[in-house]
Every structure is written in structure tokens, then in C-alpha cells.
Amino acid sequence: MLGTTAAFLRALGEHRLITPLRSEGGHRRHSRYQLRIVARARELVDQGALPRTPHPAGHNPT
């Protein structure tokens, strides 16, 4: 549908760009708004913009 992989969607969740709901079976459920964010993130990555690695909790780089 959006040309992304499950790993890409999980990475966006790890970066806290999206927070999908879960179905009773445990499947991720994305809103239309989240799907627009996913599509834009895919465009940016395809253009060469790489997401920053999330920092461990409590780590604040200077």
C-alpha cells in the first residue's frame, strides 16, 4: 500500500513518529494520519534523509 516494510513501520514507532493501536490479535492498526506520516517519512528516506538513532533513556547528548 505505501511501499514500506514492517521493519520500517517498527522503526518509525521506535523513533516515536507513530504509535499504532493494536488489534485483539496483536496486529498494528495505523490511523490515516499515521499513514500520511509514514508516507512522508518514506519519501524523506528515499531522498537520502536518514533518521537519527534513538538515544538510550536518560541519555542527553550535548
Side-chain angles (χ1 to χ4, degrees):
M1 180 170 167
L2 294 174
T4 66
T5 63
F8 184 76
L9 294 173
R10 283 192 300 274
L12 293 180
E14 289 171 9
H15 286 279
R16 296 190 174 139
L17 292 174
I18 59 172
T19 306
L21 298 175
R22 295 283 183 153
S23 70
E24 289 183 21
H27 299 281
R28 290 175 180 82
R29 305 287 300 193
H30 299 90
S31 69
R32 287 187 173 114
Y33 177 71
Q34 290 175 345
L35 293 177
R36 287 194 303 266
I37 293 171
V38 169
R40 182 62 179 141
R42 179 79 265 162
E43 289 173 7
L44 290 170
V45 169
D46 289 346
Q47 292 171 5
L50 297 176
R52 293 183 349 181
T53 303
H55 298 286
H59 178 72
N60 187 10
T62 56

